[in-house]
Amino acid sequence: MFKFKHEALETNTGLLLVATMMAISIGGLVEIAPLFLIEDTMEKVEGVRPYTPLEQMGRDIYIREGCYTCHSQMVRPFRDEQLRYGHYSLAAESKYDHPFQWGSKRTGPDLARLGGKYSNEWHVQHLIAPRSVVPESVMPNYPWLLETRLNYADIGARMRTLRTVGVPYSANQEEYERNVKDFGVELAAQFHIPNARESLVAQVRAGNYDGDPTSVSEMDALVAYLQVLGTMVDFSKIKPEELVKFR
Amino acid sequence: MADEKAKPQGPQTTGHVWDGDLQEYNNPLPQWWIYGFYVTIVFALVYWVVYPSWPVGDGFLKGINSITYTNAEGQEERWHWNTRAKLLRETQEAALQQKPWFERIANLPYEQIAQDVDLMGFVRSAGRALFTDNCAGCHQVGGGGKIGHYPNLTDDNWIYGGTFDKIRETIVQGRHGYMPPFAESLSRGEIDALAHYVLSLAGEPHDAPQAAQGKELFHSHAGACYYCHGDDAKGRPDLGSANLTDRIWLWADVPGAPDVSSKVALVRQVIAGGLNRGNMPAWEGRLTEEQIKVLTVYVHQLGGGQ
C-alpha cells in the first residue's frame, strides 16, 4: 500500500509546487467562491451608477497621486465610524470601482462619504494648501492640480477598458438605450463613449469645480470625483433593518 | 572528541541526512504551546456554532447567536448576529439615552434653551462634536474662521444675520456669496475712489478727497453700491451684503496690509473682480432636525449671537 511520506514533498520540487497550489486554492475556494454564490453578498439598492467621464478622470488622478495610501473609502459598521463619517459603506456602492479604493490604512480620514460635505471652493483651497484650512493636517500640498490642464484625450479608451470589465458604459446605440432605461437620459448621455469628451467639458462648464469654468484643469476632475463620493445612495429611503438582512 | 559532540544527546533527529552527515534535530514544541494550540481549535469549533461561519450553497451558517433591535414600524425584530445588526442596536440604545435631551431641545423655543443651564451643558458637548465634524473644516475648531475664506462665527458681525432663525436658515439651506464685478462698468479711477471711501468707512488710513469722490459714487446710480450695502453702508443681512462700517474684513485682509496703497489694492480687487464665492453647503438631509437645532444654539453661543 502507498504510504505518504513528508520527505517525498520535501525532496521533489514539482510535487511541492503542485501541493502548495492545491493548499492555496482551497483557501481561495472557501473565501472567494462563496461570495459569487451567496445571494446576500450585494445589497439591492437604487442610485449606484458608473462615474461620469469627468469623475472617472478625477478618480484616475486620485489613484495617480496616491491618495489611497493615506485615505480609505470604506466606512465600517461601527458606531464611532458612523458618527464620524456617516452611514457604513455598502458592497453595492463600489460595484463600478475598478479597482475599489476601500483601503486598510488611514493616515487621513476616510473619504467614502465625502461628497457634499465641503464646498468646491474648500476642496480647491484644501488641495492647494491643506494647512491653510486644517492647521493640524499632515497632508502634502498639491498645487499643480490647479495649474495643470487635464489631458482627457484618452477618456474614451479609459471608458472602453472599464466597459470590458463590466462597467455599463455604452459603445453603441443599443447599449445607450439600455442605459437610458437604467439611468435616465441625462446620465446615459454621459456614459456614452463616443460623446465622452463633450460630456466631460460640459460638466466642467456647468459644475465650476475649480472656480474657473472656462478651462479644464486636473483640479476640476478631482473635485468632481470627490464631490460624488458616497452620494449615490439615498439612505433616507432605506430602512436600516433591510440592510441588516444582507448579512 | 568531535564525534561525541555531534551525537545528539536528548532529542532524536528527524532521520533526514544530507551530504552524508548533516542531520536535523526533532525538538518537540513545549507542552504549554501544544495545549494552547488545542484550545484555539476548540475555540474555533465554538465560534462556528455561535457566529456566522461556513458558506453552504447560496447561503451560510448563521450561528445560534442573535440580536434584537427595533424596526421602522417600532416592532422588535430578531436577526442572526452580524455587525450591522449590532450597530443598529447600539445606535438605538444610544439614541434612547440622548432622546430626553433631544426631545426637550426639539420642544423648547431657542430663547428658553439658551437660558436652561442643563440644556446648554448638553448643547456645548453635543454641539461641539457636531461642530468639529461638520463645520470646523472651514470655520475652524473654535469658530474663528479664516480671513479671505470663511467668516468668523465668534464676533458680533453676521453676514446673513445672527438671530437663531437666521443661523438655522444658514445651516439648513447653505449660502452662496455673490457681488457683481465692476471692472467693466467703472473706470480704474472710480474704483480707487470707492476703495478709499470704503477704507474711510472702516476707519482705515485713506485719501480724503478721493474718499469724498467715492462717497458720491457709492450713492450714485452709476456705482449703485448703496443698493446692496445700504444707504448707511451697514450691509443688508437679507442679501448677505457686508457691513462696510466696522473693522471686520472677510475677503480682503485690509488690517494685515502694511500701507494705504496695498490696502487700496486689496479693496480694488474685490470691487473690480466681484465675488462669486463664500459657498456653504446645505446641511438639511445630512443632519437631523434636532442636530441642526443643537448646532444653531451652539453657533449662537460661540460669541456674537443676536
Side-chain angles (χ1 to χ4, degrees):
Chain A
M1 205 187 105
F2 173 76
K3 191 163 180 296
F4 177 75
K5 282 181 91 176
H6 206 267
E7 192 177 357
L9 272 178
E10 288 182 34
T11 50
N12 188 333
T13 322
L15 195 61
L16 184 68
L17 199 72
V18 172
T20 308
M21 292 209 315
M22 272 171 62
I24 292 173
S25 36
I26 290 172
L29 271 177
V30 172
E31 292 194 2
I32 301 168
L35 292 176
F36 293 98
L37 302 170
I38 296 174
E39 284 172 348
D40 297 344
T41 303
M42 190 98 91
E43 306 86 357
K44 291 163 189 71
V45 290
E46 280 177 22
V48 182
R49 60 162 178 82
Y51 296 106
T52 65
L54 184 66
E55 290 158 9
Q56 183 55 44
M57 286 304 300
R59 192 172 184 280
D60 288 348
I61 291 169
Y62 181 94
I63 294 169
R64 181 193 77 192
E65 299 294 352
C67 305
Y68 59 86
T69 52
C70 292
H71 294 285
S72 58
Q73 286 187 23
M74 158 68 118
V75 184
R76 296 171 292 179
F78 302 134
R79 199 172 154 237
D80 56 336
E81 298 224 349
Q82 181 167 269
L83 287 172
R84 166 104 195 252
Y85 300 121
H87 199 286
Y88 54 79
S89 299
L90 305 179
E93 286 182 287
S94 39
K95 66 177 170 184
Y96 298 131
D97 281 11
H98 297 282
F100 61 77
Q101 298 294 312
W102 300 340
S104 57
K105 176 178 169 290
R106 289 175 185 157
T107 300
D110 188 272
L111 302 181
R113 300 259 173 251
L114 182 67
K117 187 167 179 177
Y118 302 96
S119 60
N120 295 341
E121 207 179 321
W122 184 90
H123 277 298
V124 173
Q125 181 64 32
H126 180 255
L127 284 162
I128 294 171
R131 268 157 302 285
S132 69
V133 284
V134 186
E136 67 275 21
S137 174
V138 294
M139 182 167 132
N141 302 337
Y142 295 86
W144 56 86
L145 294 174
L146 191 61
E147 296 152 10
T148 314
R149 273 180 57 99
L150 182 70
N151 179 6
Y152 55 93
D154 58 357
I155 179 61
R158 286 168 195 253
M159 290 165 81
R160 272 194 297 279
T161 309
L162 287 165
R163 181 172 159 271
T164 58
V165 291
V167 180
Y169 291 125
S170 58
N172 52 48
Q173 191 62 22
E174 192 188 328
E175 289 174 352
Y176 168 75
E177 270 150 30
R178 176 207 64 203
N179 277 352
V180 170
K181 227 166 42 185
D182 290 351
F183 303 108
V185 181
E186 254 172 66
L187 284 168
Q190 300 239 52
F191 301 154
H192 200 45
I193 297 173
N195 296 342
R197 291 192 216 178
E198 291 77 18
S199 316
L200 186 147
V201 175
Q203 196 183 348
V204 172
R205 296 260 154 80
N208 189 18
Y209 297 98
D210 68 352
D212 177 7
T214 55
S215 79
V216 183
S217 68
E218 294 191 340
M219 186 69 88
D220 276 313
L222 185 57
V223 173
Y225 170 62
L226 295 177
Q227 290 289 34
V228 81
L229 285 178
T231 61
M232 291 179 188
V233 176
D234 183 356
F235 283 96
S236 66
K237 292 194 180 131
I238 303 172
K239 293 179 189 167
E241 63 264 22
E242 280 167 21
L243 295 175
V244 163
K245 287 166 188 169
F246 276 94
R247 280 293 172 276
Chain B
M1 281 289 277
D3 277 355
E4 257 174 60
K5 257 195 176 171
K7 251 187 190 172
Q9 296 290 315
Q12 300 304 303
T13 66
T14 54
H16 300 170
V17 182
W18 290 272
D19 283 350
D21 59 351
L22 269 179
Q23 289 181 311
E24 194 179 27
Y25 281 146
N26 184 16
N27 279 320
L29 290 157
Q31 287 293 305
W32 65 264
W33 199 98
I34 301 267
Y35 285 115
F37 180 60
Y38 294 151
V39 169
T40 61
I41 292 175
V42 174
F43 177 84
L45 290 172
V46 174
Y47 190 96
W48 294 347
V49 177
V50 177
Y51 292 102
S53 53
W54 292 99
V56 181
D58 61 358
F60 54 93
L61 296 181
K62 317 272 186 201
I64 56 168
N65 201 1
S66 68
I67 284 188
T68 315
Y69 52 84
T70 315
N71 65 15
E73 282 79 40
Q75 293 148 345
E76 293 243 307
E77 230 175 289
R78 267 168 89 86
W79 198 253
H80 69 263
W81 188 97
N82 67 52
T83 44
R84 290 182 177 182
K86 187 162 174 271
L87 171 67
L88 182 58
R89 192 195 163 89
E90 282 175 2
T91 309
Q92 287 173 344
E93 281 171 354
L96 214 58
Q97 284 185 348
Q98 290 182 328
K99 205 177 163 200
W101 294 100
F102 275 119
E103 257 176 12
R104 279 174 70 192
I105 297 265
N107 292 330
L108 283 176
Y110 291 112
E111 289 74 15
Q112 279 188 38
I113 298 172
Q115 271 161 31
D116 188 314
V117 178
D118 283 351
L119 277 183
M120 282 311 282
F122 177 73
V123 164
R124 285 201 188 91
S125 68
R128 191 182 151 76
L130 288 168
F131 190 87
T132 44
D133 184 18
N134 298 292
C135 318
C138 293
H139 296 288
Q140 308 296 297
V141 178
K146 202 100 203 163
I147 290 187
H149 295 288
Y150 315 109
N152 185 339
L153 303 178
T154 63
D155 59 22
D156 55 2
N157 179 36
W158 295 89
I159 300 171
Y160 297 96
T163 60
F164 288 112
D165 286 334
K166 281 291 165 189
I167 294 172
R168 180 184 176 277
E169 189 181 298
T170 302
I171 297 172
V172 167
Q173 64 185 33
R175 295 293 184 190
H176 183 167
Y178 180 75
M179 172 173 153
F182 288 90
E184 310 253 308
S185 53
L186 298 177
S187 71
R188 168 77 181 247
E190 287 173 319
I191 292 177
D192 278 5
L194 275 174
H196 279 284
Y197 176 58
V198 171
L199 290 175
S200 78
L201 287 172
E204 292 283 346
H206 58 278
D207 176 61
Q210 285 212 61
Q213 192 200 335
K215 183 176 182 179
E216 217 164 278
L217 201 56
F218 188 94
H219 297 281
S220 75
H221 188 64
C225 311
Y226 72 94
Y227 186 77
C228 291
H229 289 283
D231 278 330
D232 54 2
K234 289 199 165 155
R236 283 175 57 182
D238 54 333
L239 294 174
S241 55
N243 180 353
L244 303 174
T245 63
D246 58 24
R247 308 199 61 155
I248 296 168
W249 297 84
L250 174 58
W251 300 114
D253 186 10
V254 169
D259 50 43
V260 182
S261 65
S262 50
K263 285 177 201 283
V264 168
L266 285 170
V267 181
R268 181 198 300 136
Q269 209 181 343
V270 175
I271 301 174
L275 290 168
N276 192 4
R277 43 197 307 205
N279 291 309
M280 170 163 158
W283 296 92
E284 193 172 34
R286 230 185 148 95
L287 299 175
T288 66
E289 190 58 39
E290 292 89 21
Q291 286 175 320
I292 289 176
K293 197 161 181 185
V294 167
L295 257 183
T296 302
V297 181
Y298 181 81
V299 171
H300 188 270
Q301 62 86 46
L302 276 178
Q306 291 163 349

